[in-house]
Amino acid sequence: LLQMLLCYLSRLAQPQVLRSRFFSLCVLLQKVDLHRLEEGPPLTSTLTREEGLKYYRTMQTIRRMELKADQLYKQKIIRGFCHLYDGQEACAVGIEGGITLSDHLITAYRAHGYTLTRGGTVREIMAELTGRRGGIAKGKGGSMHMYTKNFYGGNGIVGAQVPLGAGVALACKYLGNDQLCVSLYGDGAANQGQIFETYNMSSLWKLPIIFICENNQYAMGTSVERSAASTEYYKRGDYIPGIRVDGMDVLCVREATKFAAAHCRSGKGPILMELQTYRYHGHSMSDPGVSYRTREEIQEVRSKSDPISMLKDRMLSNNMASIEELKEIDIAVRKEIEDAAQFATTDPEPPLDDLCSHIFANDQPFEVRGATPWTKLTSTS
Amino acid sequence: SHFLSCLVEFSKTSPAAVQVNVRDALNQAMDEELERDERVFLLGEEVAQYDGAYKVSRGLWKKYGDKRIIDTPITEMGFAGIAVGAAFAGLRPICEFMTWNFSMQAIDQVINSAAKTYYMSAGAQPVPIVFRGPNGSSAGVAAQHSQCFAAWYGHCPGLKVVSPWNSEDARGLLKAAIRDNNPVVFLENELMYGVPFDLSEEVMHKDFVLPIGKAKVERQGTHITLVSHSRCVGFCLDAAAVLAKEGVECEVVNLRTIRPLDVETIEASVMKTGHLVTVEGGWPQYGVGAEICARIMEGPAFNYLDAPAVRVTGVDIPMPYAKILEDHSVPQIKDIIFTVKKVLNM
């Protein structure tokens, strides 16, 4: 009640002086839908200036990085699969705001944003997309197979990452380290049997796992109404408590994640979050994304619910930052992306010596059969 | 531990300390490794309170409790994925499939999540996991419960695939598999579980391990090489005993490991005997024997062959139920003897 009062008062006391900066802001959030929960995350969130600038910069970095990847793909410098995350930035950034880097996270193939929030650099992400030796997986993995500490990819098989995440959570509980695992999947994956198997075992064994469904309305070209008998993904865990949250608002995502993390760490077992979000690009770079949805729909989301604009407006209208300041961040981000793209296009491809390496860990080098019986290659760990 | 395994190889007159059947050898191996390293744990259907569907994990739950011996629901894809994820995060799981037939439910997790991850991550993410369970034909369990998976898993880079025959193999290879930092597919055989073998003191040592990727010559011979794995090794030895009475000395090679295949040991043997027969329980097409023959063709041993290399395999049919039909679906000793004589032009 006191918090609500302070919030109200701070709004009344908005100064008219353009240059004053509020160092923290109390934000009223959209209502959250609850399943099997008496109480949900708080309806207000306190955003400090430092946090605001950090979230802005990170989301903008993801946005620009993905757009650059789009460009490089069209230039045929990136090849194969490329699933872009622009539009969904508030999810990755908000989630990271609710956990720490000593917690664990695993997701599916739309993973570039998470690779960044989990400690990867734009340079090594882009160089992985262009298949160079400076890539985060030395060019061996590509778009869908990037890893950092406590980040287990980047997984290409729809749904398989969810039991893997529960395994990570099992290790957290086993080792007694008070850490948890965030296990993400999309609206398409949500119908996978192995996810329900994972709900079952996670609940039975009270694993510290946060299931997060990033519902961007479409699994490739199949809309949620056409693939799921129940599109209330936050309820699909049945006996697992669930919350449904506006995934375009970084603070909603953060508060929900904090709430979910507290639930897990208290030993109550799993919890499920559905983030309602949207991707501007098609499913992947080979999908224009307009045969199963309208351009008007995409435009509407962009103009009304863009996560970066939402945060920007919030900060500007509350004098938390100036336009110039944010422009400076934009310029810095642009430069970071340009430098990374430069690196990613000039760094050499992996050496052929690396072809057979990394088959086994901690092993002596061994011979690998090449394309012909006379081609004897060597594998090192 | 390598020294100890060498010791076992060379000392043919070491005293037999104790008789241990394959089941107990596996049980003791797991017990010792659970004790040695706290990160090792076992999960699978009925492994805990039931003592294991085939009693391989008998007594382990009583000793180690719920945390380390975990009964799972009947959800292979889910629990295999959980096991792999636990390996990602630093534990050393042993994931039991009640039989390898059920691994097909989870094969994506074995191949795409376990086998390939170290490579895809360029060495950032090792996967120290053992998948184990009975493989191949049993007795009267019919088509869906009798398939041999040696060739399927042996096909995939990133996996080590092991197929023990006797108690020494079972013990040494399982301990090695659990200590290995890579995904190991461990193919047991239900019909071998109850078979006892003499184990020496060296083998019973708690740090006894066998090298993965090294075959063993179980019987020296000069006329022909028989290469086999798992239960068929015993049939080869039985056939060799019968053939010896007719003056034919067979060299019997026990593969022990399907992948990586110890082609050097096979080549050395073929270069000595000039004749090769492979023997396996699995189906012929694209099988273990097919791979061995191809490798011999491509390598130095080809020039030493005095006859084409030939395979003895399971019959190319789903496994029937009736005993008479089942008996005729798998390689018998008489099939091995017949083949040897054909190859030797006797």
Side-chain angles (χ1 to χ4, degrees):
Chain A
L1 188 62
L2 183 63
Q3 205 182 10
M4 292 281 298
L5 190 64
L6 286 170
C7 206
Y8 179 64
L9 289 174
S10 73
R11 280 168 179 250
L12 286 180
Q14 262 182 53
Q16 298 307 305
V17 180
L18 290 169
R19 293 287 172 223
S20 102
R21 305 278 179 266
F22 271 139
F23 288 96
S24 109
L25 177 68
C26 184
V27 182
L28 200 63
L29 299 175
Q30 211 183 68
K31 189 174 158 303
V32 158
D33 296 309
L34 301 176
H35 170 70
R36 288 191 188 270
L37 282 168
E38 291 298 315
E39 275 175 22
L43 290 174
T44 60
S45 179
T46 303
L47 176 70
T48 68
R49 188 179 125 81
E50 194 186 323
E51 284 165 349
L53 293 173
K54 182 172 85 172
Y55 300 156
Y56 180 82
R57 184 177 179 133
T58 314
M59 288 201 287
Q60 192 70 288
T61 305
I62 297 173
R63 176 66 57 92
R64 298 262 138 233
M65 176 175 76
E66 297 294 80
L67 293 178
K68 177 56 77 174
D70 168 285
Q71 207 179 61
L72 292 174
Y73 196 93
K74 286 168 176 155
Q75 292 173 310
K76 298 197 192 308
I77 298 169
I78 296 176
R79 52 193 273 281
F81 286 133
C82 192
H83 307 88
L84 298 178
Y85 199 67
D86 50 312
Q88 299 186 213
E89 296 88 353
C91 296
V93 175
I95 289 168
E96 200 62 48
I99 57 173
T100 75
L101 283 171
S102 40
D103 291 315
H104 307 258
L105 190 142
I106 190 169
T107 187
Y109 48 76
R110 201 175 301 282
H112 308 159
Y114 289 100
T115 313
L116 190 83
T117 54
R118 286 260 104 196
T121 65
V122 181
R123 250 169 94 94
E124 50 192 5
I125 293 170
M126 301 215 73
E128 188 60 33
L129 293 177
T130 57
R132 309 300 167 102
R133 64 180 69 187
I136 199 166
K138 303 185 182 152
K140 302 290 268 290
S143 170
M144 300 187 295
H145 307 296
M146 305 194 191
Y147 303 78
T148 69
K149 182 166 191 287
N150 295 353
F151 174 58
Y152 306 89
N155 287 275
I157 307 296
V158 171
Q161 74 279 11
V162 178
L164 293 174
V168 173
L170 187 144
C172 292
K173 182 168 180 174
Y174 190 105
L175 296 168
N177 55 25
D178 206 37
Q179 292 160 10
L180 53 81
C181 186
V182 175
S183 215
L184 290 130
Y185 55 96
D187 47 281
N191 300 312
Q192 275 262 312
Q194 59 186 316
I195 292 186
F196 293 88
E197 295 185 14
T198 309
Y199 290 158
N200 183 40
M201 286 183 275
S202 305
S203 300
L204 263 181
W205 301 334
K206 291 202 166 11
L207 301 182
I209 179 170
I210 304 176
F211 293 103
I212 302 189
C213 177
E214 276 181 297
N215 177 3
N216 62 14
Q217 302 299 315
Y218 300 95
M220 278 185 76
T222 308
S223 67
V224 292
E225 305 82 50
R226 295 202 303 123
S227 66
S230 163
T231 56
E232 293 182 307
Y233 297 101
Y234 71 113
K235 291 184 182 172
R236 300 276 297 272
D238 189 7
Y239 36 78
I240 297 179
I243 51 184
R244 181 168 60 188
V245 169
D246 178 6
M248 303 305 261
D249 183 341
V250 68
L251 292 179
C252 284
V253 177
R254 184 182 78 171
E255 290 313 313
T257 307
K258 281 188 179 164
F259 175 83
H263 176 103
C264 281
R265 280 191 239 275
S266 70
K268 294 199 186 102
I271 186 166
L272 204 165
M273 277 167 56
E274 177 186 342
L275 302 178
Q276 294 187 303
T277 184
Y278 199 83
R279 54 165 161 81
Y280 296 144
H281 268 84
H283 163 70
S284 72
M285 283 305 297
S286 53
D287 169 29
V290 288
S291 64
Y292 48 86
R293 59 184 185 172
T294 63
R295 286 184 209 272
E296 288 74 45
E297 180 186 283
I298 305 170
Q299 222 359 76
E300 173 145 6
V301 178
R302 239 192 235 282
S303 57
K304 297 211 178 111
S305 314
D306 183 272
I308 300 175
S309 302
M310 203 190 297
L311 178 64
K312 180 174 178 178
D313 291 344
R314 208 174 246 160
M315 290 185 74
L316 288 177
S317 64
N318 287 288
N319 285 311
M320 209 176 217
S322 70
I323 291 188
E324 290 78 31
E325 221 174 346
L326 296 181
K327 262 211 176 78
E328 264 170 45
I329 294 179
D330 290 349
I331 290 169
V333 166
R334 221 175 281 259
K335 178 164 195 320
E336 187 181 351
I337 304 311
E338 278 309 318
D339 286 349
Q342 178 65 10
F343 175 69
T345 49
T346 55
D347 198 40
E349 288 188 285
L352 283 179
D353 285 343
D354 224 23
L355 180 68
C356 300
S357 59
H358 311 122
I359 299 279
F360 292 133
N362 306 121
D363 268 18
Q364 293 299 315
F366 63 95
E367 196 180 278
V368 171
R369 191 206 147 90
T372 77
W374 300 277
T375 326
K376 298 205 198 290
L377 305 167
T378 310
S379 178
T380 53
S381 284
Chain B
S1 58
H2 180 67
F3 166 77
L4 283 171
S5 67
C6 286
L7 196 66
V8 174
E9 300 275 53
F10 292 132
S11 89
K12 303 247 188 276
T13 56
S14 54
V18 65
Q19 220 185 45
V20 179
N21 65 27
V22 172
R23 174 186 293 109
D24 292 339
L26 295 167
N27 183 283
Q28 287 160 16
M30 284 197 286
D31 191 352
E32 288 165 20
E33 295 307 302
L34 283 157
E35 180 145 346
R36 177 178 178 269
D37 188 336
E38 270 176 8
R39 298 167 299 173
V40 175
F41 71 101
L42 172 68
L43 85 168
E45 294 154 11
E46 311 302 341
V47 296
Q49 296 191 17
Y50 198 88
D51 273 332
Y54 301 98
K55 304 294 179 246
V56 178
S57 56
R58 177 172 37 213
L60 296 180
W61 175 65
K62 207 165 182 183
K63 184 170 175 185
Y64 294 101
D66 287 332
K67 178 180 169 179
R68 304 191 64 199
I69 312 293
I70 304 175
D71 276 336
T72 65
I74 308 170
T75 50
E76 275 79 1
M77 196 166 186
F79 72 70
I82 283 177
V84 176
F88 283 176
L91 298 184
R92 304 186 72 89
I94 305 168
C95 177
E96 179 179 300
F97 292 120
M98 194 183 280
T99 78
W100 274 97
N101 301 284
F102 313 146
S103 75
M104 289 197 282
Q105 306 263 315
I107 196 164
D108 176 65
Q109 296 289 2
V110 178
I111 306 298
N112 280 321
S113 301
K116 298 178 184 172
T117 292
Y118 192 69
Y119 188 86
M120 293 191 293
S121 67
Q125 181 61 72
V127 191
I129 187 167
V130 175
F131 298 98
R132 51 158 289 274
N135 176 59
S137 60
S138 182
V141 295
Q144 293 177 342
H145 289 74
S146 305
Q147 189 169 329
C148 175
F149 290 86
W152 283 24
Y153 289 110
H155 189 56
C156 300
L159 283 183
K160 298 189 184 182
V161 180
V162 168
S163 185
W165 163 55
N166 62 10
S167 297
E168 178 181 322
D169 291 355
R171 177 181 170 72
L173 291 171
L174 186 54
K175 285 163 84 66
I178 294 168
R179 296 184 192 195
D180 201 306
N181 288 321
N182 296 289
V184 180
V185 163
F186 195 88
L187 305 170
E188 301 162 8
N189 186 293
E190 198 212 322
L191 297 174
M192 293 303 296
Y193 282 154
V195 180
F197 293 90
D198 292 332
L199 295 186
S200 70
E201 232 175 80
E202 284 94 335
V203 174
M204 291 306 286
H205 189 276
K206 66 177 169 60
D207 284 321
F208 172 76
V209 288
L210 285 174
I212 292 178
K214 199 87 189 70
K216 183 182 177 203
V217 178
E218 296 286 351
R219 183 189 194 280
Q220 300 268 0
T222 46
H223 298 124
I224 187 163
T225 301
L226 303 178
V227 179
S228 187
H229 72 98
S230 189
R231 188 154 179 260
C232 288
V233 173
F235 298 158
C236 289
L237 290 168
D238 292 342
V242 172
L243 286 160
K245 296 200 189 101
E246 296 180 54
V248 176
E249 291 300 329
C250 301
E251 181 145 291
V252 177
V253 177
N254 172 8
L255 282 177
R256 285 179 162 174
T257 301
I258 304 293
R259 181 176 187 111
L261 187 68
D262 182 2
V263 74
E264 285 83 22
T265 299
I266 304 171
E267 277 169 349
S269 179
V270 171
M271 279 151 86
K272 186 170 84 172
T273 67
H275 300 84
L276 174 62
V277 172
T278 69
V279 183
E280 69 198 282
W283 294 318
Q285 270 200 314
Y286 314 107
V288 174
E291 173 66 18
I292 293 170
C293 291
R295 295 241 205 152
I296 291 299
M297 289 276 276
E298 290 176 348
F302 172 74
N303 289 311
Y304 292 75
L305 282 174
D306 292 332
V310 155
R311 304 163 293 163
V312 173
T313 69
V315 176
D316 203 11
I317 52 174
M319 182 68 71
Y321 167 68
K323 186 162 195 325
I324 188 171
L325 297 179
E326 187 179 61
D327 288 346
H328 285 83
S329 305
V330 295
Q332 301 180 46
I333 294 166
K334 65 175 172 65
D335 296 317
I336 303 173
I337 295 169
F338 174 81
T339 307
V340 166
K341 288 183 174 177
K342 273 281 208 184
V343 170
L344 289 175
N345 231 341
M346 284 166 67

